[in-house]
Amino acid sequence: MKNVHSYWAYLVLLILIFAVVNAIIGLVQKKQFTDKDLRIGLFSLIVSHIQLLIGLGWYFMSPWYKALKSDAGEVMADKTARLLAVEHPIMMIIAIVLITIGWSKHKKKTEDSAKFKTFAIFYGLALLIILSRIPWSNWI
């Protein structure tokens, strides 16, 4: 399960980076928001939600969750254990929430630039959060 979560994360990062760059380009160049842009945003939403489900499944089977349950004080005192047991899961959930909010908000916009701007802001913030809390030393 850990390997699936790790490898799927590459896909999530690639798609999310592509979605953010596409939104910024669309905003800067004042492009028309097309079905292609909609699908990029939707695909980002879907792969990130799948990653969340895989991650939650792995988390509740992981040694970090078991350690947190048995001795939370020790986990919180150890920087690496805290990242894996607390910071990473919470921040990834926040990132997925931002992606979901961005998707929902873009649907209510009528102007193309507003749709691109919504994706750029919410998906971009989610990308920054994800990059800040990836356990790089443990990643495959």
Side-chain angles (χ1 to χ4, degrees):
M1 186 70 112
K2 178 184 175 187
N3 288 338
V4 173
H5 182 65
S6 294
Y7 287 121
W8 193 264
Y10 287 112
L11 179 63
V12 172
L13 275 179
L14 288 173
I15 298 293
L16 195 53
I17 289 168
F18 184 66
V20 171
V21 169
N22 182 64
I24 291 170
I25 290 170
L27 184 61
V28 170
Q29 295 181 355
K30 299 181 193 266
K31 290 187 173 186
Q32 182 180 5
F33 192 86
T34 65
D35 285 343
K36 175 194 74 115
D37 303 307
L38 178 80
R39 287 187 184 103
I40 291 169
L42 179 60
F43 197 59
S44 299
L45 176 82
I46 292 168
V47 297
S48 63
H49 278 82
I50 291 171
Q51 176 70 344
L52 174 65
L53 293 174
I54 295 167
L56 287 173
W58 163 240
Y59 179 72
F60 290 111
M61 294 186 288
S62 73
W64 307 295
Y65 176 70
K66 293 172 185 161
L68 187 63
K69 278 180 41 180
S70 66
D71 191 359
E74 185 178 321
V75 170
M76 295 306 280
D78 180 5
K79 182 180 175 183
T80 303
R82 184 179 63 240
L83 171 66
L84 296 169
V86 180
E87 295 172 6
H88 176 74
I90 289 172
M91 296 307 284
M92 296 306 127
I93 290 169
I94 291 170
I96 302 299
V97 167
L98 285 170
I99 291 169
T100 306
I101 291 170
W103 175 258
S104 296
K105 284 190 164 290
H106 108 276
K107 294 190 295 184
K108 297 175 185 169
K109 306 293 182 187
T110 56
E111 296 177 12
D112 295 334
S113 62
K115 289 178 181 268
F116 282 123
K117 185 176 181 181
T118 302
F119 275 159
I121 291 171
F122 285 93
Y123 283 37
L125 287 172
L127 178 61
L128 290 174
I129 289 171
I130 289 169
L131 290 173
S132 76
R133 288 293 158 236
I134 289 176
W136 295 104
S137 60
N138 292 8
W139 207 16
I140 295 175

